[in-house]
Amino acid sequence: MRNGTKPEQAHLDLLRTDALLELIHRYYPAALDSADPQYAESEEGQRLTQLVNAHVGGTQPWKDFIQRLHRDFSDCSVWDATVPYHDPCYICRVSLPGFVVGSPRYDSVVCLLSQLAPVYALYASHVEDKGPGSKRDHWLGFPPFPSEFQDHERRLAELIESTLGATRLSNDVLFTPVPDRVPRTGHFQLGEAKLIDCLFTPYRT
């Protein structure tokens, strides 16, 4: 923290796009394919591995947040979809009300919480099985959400910010290119990655 910088201002400074890119540079090695042995052996790669490993069991605030979701969204299905040892990201899915396991249609709002910075993202997910011989209907959507998702979006955003102290990133920030780095998963070529892939995960379903 710079001399004379208040904690609130330091937090806002961190959330600038250029600061988030600088943060990414501390955890992802430059100009290396993730399959290259030097990727994991690099200072940045080792730093990222240590961070991901430290979050394998989930922090207490995250565990408390998941329990709170079960209470506050009792008419919905809630999944902690975090993949241990994978990406620097916690993931949870909250179905829209009325979902029944085994139903051919599954609509949900997905929360991505970064382990690198106090930031998060939300997206809408729709999956519908049209039956034998038909192609599965599947789409993901970032804001603005369809109207039927918006109440869930608002409630989740309020809960994340009030309990975890994270700040939601805009679409413009999430999809900022990261030209010289690639995430450790996802088989990206240089120039393909976006901030959302490195701050969270490239796997979005």
Side-chain angles (χ1 to χ4, degrees):
M1 185 182 303
R2 296 188 297 269
N3 290 339
T5 302
K6 295 181 179 180
E8 296 84 357
Q9 185 59 49
H11 178 74
L12 293 175
D13 288 347
L14 173 62
L15 300 180
R16 297 195 322 267
T17 302
D18 57 346
L20 289 170
L21 287 168
E22 184 178 341
L23 177 68
I24 291 301
H25 291 173
R26 295 190 64 246
Y27 289 92
Y28 295 88
L32 284 176
D33 186 280
S34 59
D36 189 322
Q38 294 181 64
Y39 186 100
E41 295 168 1
S42 68
E43 178 182 343
E44 296 88 351
Q46 291 182 42
R47 186 179 293 126
L48 181 59
T49 297
Q50 290 171 2
L51 178 93
V52 170
N53 289 350
H55 286 82
V56 164
T59 63
Q60 193 59 49
W62 176 253
K63 293 176 182 177
D64 293 343
F65 171 68
I66 294 296
Q67 290 303 311
R68 178 73 180 272
L69 286 179
H70 282 287
R71 293 197 303 270
D72 288 12
F73 292 83
S74 58
D75 56 343
C76 307
S77 293
V78 176
W79 288 270
D80 182 347
T82 305
V83 182
Y85 301 105
H86 206 251
D87 296 304
C89 176
Y90 291 119
I91 308 169
C92 69
R93 307 179 70 94
V94 182
S95 76
L96 297 194
F99 171 75
V100 177
V101 176
S103 171
R105 177 168 176 163
Y106 174 38
D107 291 332
S108 61
V109 176
V110 182
C111 166
L112 306 176
L113 180 72
S114 180
Q115 297 167 3
L116 293 171
V119 295
Y120 76 97
L122 296 176
Y123 65 85
S125 174
H126 166 81
V127 179
E128 186 172 3
D129 188 349
K130 299 285 190 176
S134 299
K135 187 176 180 180
R136 194 185 204 196
D137 184 21
H138 178 218
W139 54 258
L140 305 178
F142 285 81
F145 285 2
S147 58
E148 64 268 29
F149 289 82
Q150 289 178 8
D151 181 61
H152 248 40
E153 174 190 15
R154 176 189 57 78
R155 291 172 61 197
L156 270 170
E158 290 176 353
L159 188 59
I160 292 164
E161 291 168 18
S162 64
T163 61
L164 297 173
T167 298
R168 188 174 181 179
L169 298 181
S170 68
N171 291 351
D172 287 345
V173 175
L174 290 173
F175 295 102
T176 297
V178 183
D180 55 349
R181 304 297 199 272
V182 298
R184 64 192 229 152
T185 60
H187 307 292
F188 280 66
Q189 299 295 316
L190 287 174
E192 294 179 344
K194 306 293 190 294
L195 264 178
I196 188 172
D197 304 310
C198 297
L199 282 171
F200 304 100
T201 177
Y203 294 101
R204 298 181 286 277
T205 60

